Amino acid sequence: MKKDMTVLPERTVYDDPDYPVKTEFLRFTDSSRYSATPHLHVDLEFLFVCQGTLLVHVDGETLELQEGHGAYIGSRKLHFLVPAKKEDCCFIRILFHPVLLGLHSVIDKKYVWPLRTSLSFMRLTPEVSWQKDILNKQGPAENHLQVLSL
């Protein structure tokens, strides 16, 4: 008998129930289990590596993100994160619901929907000027984000 391997989208608990954004400062420490469960969600996700090297597995592909680099993960893309080495690794994760980009509008139809449906992920590096601008907007994470250990 074949087992159903359907992965249901996880439900995001936002920082404020009236504003669908979640920000977190996450850390893999040498005492953590060094694994994460594959999951997906409706939200768009941005990652920024503050320390160490993070492996991002998305739709069967792997990105290795060094300190100072980041990534975008699209809506409903199966993914999980692990540190590249058995060392401390910390990163900022920002989830936001696509409704913030103008769902059901001309902007959504022309720009957001194609991004949500065709782009699984994108590496962000400081070597590309417009990507560097995005990465530099992260700011000091420890000052204003929830700190969790994985």
Side-chain angles (χ1 to χ4, degrees), residues 48-99:
F48 177 76
V49 180
C50 304
Q51 176 189 346
T53 304
L54 184 66
L55 296 179
V56 180
H57 301 273
V58 184
D59 283 348
E61 296 190 45
T62 303
L63 292 175
E64 184 175 304
L65 302 178
Q66 307 290 328
E67 185 175 316
H69 291 219
Y72 158 82
I73 301 172
S75 180
R76 298 184 186 270
K77 302 302 177 186
L78 187 63
H79 63 284
F80 67 97
L81 314 169
V82 294
K85 302 170 186 163
K86 298 267 185 194
E87 63 183 26
D88 285 1
C89 176
C90 59
F91 57 98
I92 297 170
R93 178 172 95 146
I94 302 170
L95 300 171
F96 65 95
H97 196 282
V99 73

Side-chain angles (χ1 to χ4, degrees), residues 4-23:
D4 183 13
M5 299 300 285
T6 304
V7 177
L8 297 175
E10 75 176 20
R11 186 175 178 274
T12 303
V13 178
Y14 298 112
D15 298 338
D16 180 331
D18 294 327
Y19 188 66
V21 173
K22 179 168 188 72
T23 55

